[in-house]
Amino acid sequence: MAQVNGNYLKLKAGYLFPEIARRVKAFSEANPEAPIIRLGIGDVTEPLPEACRSAMKAAIDEMGTREGFHGYGPEQGYLWLRDAIAKHDFQARGCQITAEEIFVSDGSKCDSSNILDILGPDNRIAVTDPVYPVYVDSNVMAGRTGDADDAGQYGGLTYLPINAENGFTAEIPNTPVDLIYLCFPNNPTGAVATKAQLQAWVDYARAHGALILFDAAYEAFIQDPSLPHSIYEIEGARECAIEFRSFSKNAGFTGTRCALTVVPRGLMGTAAHGEAVELWGLWNRRQCTKFNGVSYIVQRGAEAVYSPEGQAQVKALVAFYMENAAIIRRELSAAGIQVYGGEQAPYVWLKTPDGLDSWGFFDRLLSQAHVVGTPGSGFGAAGEGYFRLSAFNSRENVEEAMRRIRAL
């Protein structure tokens, strides 16, 4: 009989969002008339921008001709898309990132997990707590952790708590670590990092030979012009950081799938025998072996994000969701609930009321208000007693959900 990967058996339970879906399904089957509003997972709801749709339609027409047909594309992504990304997302902000250093993919969730393919098994890993579950679970699956304790924390990981008491700012670890997962604007708390705070992390990483894995999937939602959108706005970051980005949230590509990873040339790791190895070449080799690229049609749609029309339409989408976040913050505050986030990110992080734990508040919202959110404990032990609501929904649904919550 084929043996399974025993590391999967160390996972405490089903992945957070399927577990939410299971509970919602059970409730819906028992209460088929309940009008459920979902403010749980970070899935967008508004249509794709017109500029993207038009570009994709034109690409489909191209594909219908012998001259315009495209089969396998470059595993790294088409150069015209990578050029646009480098120019608009990085060079326009003073980041010295070139098209060669950009790898187009089908999702930053995938890349933040797949990056482990090129990194050794003995790296000491630091994650914030609460944290996007993929960072932890992918390391568990790859055999890089011990077992979980009663609080759900895995042996071998260094947890960096972020909470209201420390202003949702993780302290730099006292002991050296090799891999550091950072996500700003943060999922799930909505917290942000200043340039000075990121500079401290970069300085630490350079001093200890560590690698920062920086998730910038929500950078488009930053409203404060003083806040950095990329780790590469920080001096020295090219020497110690890989950045993940996505078209999912800003341009609505959650169902279309397009993202990117930046691996700077000259970013080095160490082989087991001590030799310095460039990570760019390893990631390029990994992609060429395990990935056949994002479709031509989708990449043309992503390219249109950088057209004048696309930029205006994406800006309007971001503004729409941020107004939803402002409504959620205002209404929850009026209901006497302590709220955080929602000002530079599409997530509102709230303190569960009435002494309820995270799943207790989930069940209360679902059963009494027919609103779905995300229990904070699902993001880590330090998330217990907190809860996440997403601003990704229609204005009508957000306003109705807030009316129901205030009526509890």
Side-chain angles (χ1 to χ4, degrees), residues 138-291:
S138 59
N139 277 284
V140 176
M141 293 171 177
R144 297 163 185 264
T145 74
D147 292 324
D149 60 21
D150 291 340
Q153 294 189 331
Y154 287 92
L157 297 184
T158 297
Y159 288 88
L160 309 173
I162 53 176
N163 49 48
E165 286 69 34
N166 61 20
F168 298 99
T169 302
E171 293 185 9
I172 291 176
N174 296 322
T175 56
V177 295
D178 303 305
L179 299 181
I180 305 162
Y181 287 85
L182 296 178
C183 174
F184 293 107
N186 184 256
N187 178 17
T189 68
V192 290
T194 66
K195 288 185 177 180
Q197 289 167 336
L198 289 184
Q199 186 69 65
W201 280 108
V202 168
D203 292 345
Y204 171 90
R206 294 175 69 191
H208 293 86
L211 176 65
I212 296 173
L213 302 176
F214 190 79
D215 188 344
Y218 298 95
E219 59 81 26
F221 295 88
I222 294 174
Q223 309 294 300
D224 184 342
S226 72
L227 294 173
H229 288 242
S230 169
I231 192 71
Y232 302 118
E233 294 180 52
I234 308 304
E235 183 178 356
R238 283 184 54 92
E239 302 171 24
C240 63
I242 290 173
E243 182 166 304
F244 308 102
R245 288 200 177 203
S246 175
F247 292 92
S248 286
K249 315 299 183 177
N250 63 334
F253 275 51
T254 53
T256 307
R257 311 310 301 147
C258 196
L260 60 118
T261 291
V262 181
V263 184
R265 296 304 301 255
L267 175 62
M268 310 299 286
T270 305
H273 47 72
E275 178 187 358
V277 179
E278 188 179 41
L279 297 182
W280 184 94
L282 299 182
W283 184 245
N284 187 58
R285 184 68 170 84
R286 189 268 172 204
Q287 293 299 85
C288 290
T289 300
K290 291 190 173 185
F291 186 57

Side-chain angles (χ1 to χ4, degrees), residues 18 24 78 118 134 145 155 164 172 176 259 280 298 311 346 357 373 378 384 406:
V24 173
Y78 287 99
I118 68 168
V134 172
T145 74
I172 291 176
W280 184 94
V298 169
Q311 290 285 279
D357 64 18
E384 181 55 82
R406 289 197 63 178

Side-chain angles (χ1 to χ4, degrees), residues 52-400:
C52 300
R53 300 199 308 271
S54 296
M56 293 167 79
K57 290 175 183 176
I60 290 173
D61 289 339
E62 282 187 71
M63 294 286 280
T65 68
R66 180 168 286 106
E67 297 76 19
F69 176 78
H70 290 76
Y72 292 124
E75 292 89 350
Q76 303 82 3
Y78 287 99
L79 183 58
W80 35 262
L81 175 56
R82 292 185 289 138
D83 276 335
I85 293 168
K87 176 182 176 182
H88 291 276
D89 286 345
F90 295 100
Q91 294 166 9
R93 293 189 174 278
C95 306
Q96 301 305 307
I97 297 297
T98 67
E100 181 189 30
E101 298 169 319
I102 293 167
F103 294 80
V104 177
S105 76
D106 58 352
S108 56
K109 176 181 178 180
C110 303
D111 283 358
S112 64
S113 175
N114 292 334
I115 198 70
L116 296 177
D117 283 2
I118 68 168
L119 299 171
D122 297 324
N123 286 304
R124 297 162 294 185
I125 301 161
V127 295
T128 59
D129 183 11
V131 67
Y132 184 41
V134 172
Y135 309 154
V136 171
D137 288 359
S138 59
N139 277 284
V140 176
M141 293 171 177
R144 297 163 185 264
T145 74
D147 292 324
D149 60 21
D150 291 340
Q153 294 189 331
Y154 287 92
L157 297 184
T158 297
Y159 288 88
L160 309 173
I162 53 176
N163 49 48
E165 286 69 34
N166 61 20
F168 298 99
T169 302
E171 293 185 9
I172 291 176
N174 296 322
T175 56
V177 295
D178 303 305
L179 299 181
I180 305 162
Y181 287 85
L182 296 178
C183 174
F184 293 107
N186 184 256
N187 178 17
T189 68
V192 290
T194 66
K195 288 185 177 180
Q197 289 167 336
L198 289 184
Q199 186 69 65
W201 280 108
V202 168
D203 292 345
Y204 171 90
R206 294 175 69 191
H208 293 86
L211 176 65
I212 296 173
L213 302 176
F214 190 79
D215 188 344
Y218 298 95
E219 59 81 26
F221 295 88
I222 294 174
Q223 309 294 300
D224 184 342
S226 72
L227 294 173
H229 288 242
S230 169
I231 192 71
Y232 302 118
E233 294 180 52
I234 308 304
E235 183 178 356
R238 283 184 54 92
E239 302 171 24
C240 63
I242 290 173
E243 182 166 304
F244 308 102
R245 288 200 177 203
S246 175
F247 292 92
S248 286
K249 315 299 183 177
N250 63 334
F253 275 51
T254 53
T256 307
R257 311 310 301 147
C258 196
L260 60 118
T261 291
V262 181
V263 184
R265 296 304 301 255
L267 175 62
M268 310 299 286
T270 305
H273 47 72
E275 178 187 358
V277 179
E278 188 179 41
L279 297 182
W280 184 94
L282 299 182
W283 184 245
N284 187 58
R285 184 68 170 84
R286 189 268 172 204
Q287 293 299 85
C288 290
T289 300
K290 291 190 173 185
F291 186 57
N292 269 337
V294 175
S295 79
Y296 173 76
I297 296 166
V298 169
Q299 289 192 62
R300 281 299 186 193
E303 181 193 30
V305 167
Y306 301 102
S307 68
E309 298 81 7
Q311 290 285 279
Q313 291 159 16
V314 166
K315 184 178 180 180
L317 274 178
V318 169
F320 175 82
Y321 291 127
M322 290 309 295
E323 178 61 23
N324 279 352
I327 292 170
I328 294 172
R329 280 183 56 89
R330 183 185 69 236
E331 294 302 311
L332 292 181
S333 296
I337 296 174
Q338 183 65 56
V339 296
Y340 309 93
E343 295 177 308
Q344 316 288 339
Y347 296 124
V348 175
W349 187 245
L350 61 99
K351 187 69 176 173
T352 54
D354 304 327
L356 290 170
D357 64 18
S358 296
W359 281 106
F361 188 62
F362 174 91
D363 291 335
R364 178 180 175 184
L365 278 191
L366 178 60
S367 63
Q368 297 182 27
H370 306 154
V371 172
V372 177
T374 310
S377 59
F379 296 101
E384 181 55 82
Y386 291 92
F387 199 81
R388 193 191 75 175
L389 288 178
S390 167
F392 293 123
N393 215 305
S394 69
R395 184 63 43 77
E396 179 184 6
N397 279 349
V398 167
E399 291 177 340
E400 172 61 15

